[in-house]
Amino acid sequence: MDELVALLDSDGRVCGSAPRSVMRRDNLRHGATGVLVRNGAGEIYVHRRTATKDVYPSHYDFAAGGVVAAGEDPYDAVVRELDEELGITGVELTRLPEGDYADDNTSYHAYLYTCVWEGPVKHQPEEVAWGAWMSPAELVAKLDEWPFMPDTVALLGPLVRTYLQ
């Protein structure tokens, strides 16, 4: 079944909904979430998306996230996506500044968070093909080598670079 996605106007207000396939096909502006996961040593969890993802398949990412469903509270979507993708639950989430991103493949308003997690990471096989902890320096070095999600790099890359200082 094609899930219904919340569509947003230019001010970030919900203005309707559409099936995910229509949102992707027409590149409609929607709500999306992103969580930067760190451990106590300051490492960042990096993962590779599966080849079957509907946008940026097989790209690397350093945020867990996804689209906000129609009628879903953005914070609830953050919690849901973190659990679905990485199996992380019951963690304290720290809100980051929201952001906007648009390119030829996607257009959305981002609800961004970070957390510290010391437990196991459990990938959802349909979404995550590989993952590992990396120091901020290792991650920044890989940004020039590996195909990363351009939206995550744009929205959270500057924050990761501050961890190098």
Side-chain angles (χ1 to χ4, degrees):
M1 182 171 148
D2 205 358
E3 71 181 309
L4 282 180
V5 176
L7 300 180
L8 304 180
D9 66 17
S10 59
D11 294 323
R13 291 188 301 262
V14 175
C15 61
S17 65
R20 183 186 186 104
S21 61
V22 172
M23 176 268 294
R24 288 288 182 224
R25 182 193 71 207
D26 297 343
N27 198 8
L28 301 175
R29 191 164 191 270
H30 59 283
T33 66
V35 181
L36 179 79
V37 180
R38 299 182 77 198
N39 63 19
E43 295 171 314
I44 298 164
Y45 198 77
V46 178
H47 65 276
R48 188 177 70 245
R49 297 161 60 85
T50 60
T52 57
K53 293 296 288 177
D54 62 356
V55 67
Y56 297 113
S58 299
H59 277 58
Y60 290 84
D61 204 351
F62 52 95
V67 301
V68 179
E72 185 176 33
D73 179 79
Y75 183 82
D76 293 340
V78 169
V79 171
R80 176 181 53 76
E81 287 287 348
L82 189 57
D83 180 20
E84 283 179 8
E85 282 190 15
L86 302 180
I88 296 173
T89 61
V91 67
E92 181 179 338
L93 294 165
T94 302
R95 191 174 186 164
L96 298 171
E98 294 177 9
D100 291 296
Y101 182 82
D103 65 19
D104 290 342
N105 297 300
T106 190
S107 175
Y108 66 87
H109 181 76
Y111 302 93
L112 303 170
Y113 289 79
T114 187
C115 69
V116 175
W117 179 252
E118 295 295 339
V121 175
K122 182 179 177 229
H123 299 156
Q124 181 181 48
E126 297 81 19
E127 295 198 35
V128 180
W130 168 91
W133 294 101
M134 291 186 175
S135 72
E138 290 171 318
L139 172 54
V140 168
K142 293 295 183 193
L143 291 177
D144 293 329
E145 293 180 37
W146 294 351
F148 272 88
M149 297 283 293
D151 52 342
T152 302
V153 173
L155 293 167
L156 293 172
L159 176 63
V160 169
R161 292 180 193 284
T162 68
Y163 297 148
L164 299 175
Q165 302 168 0

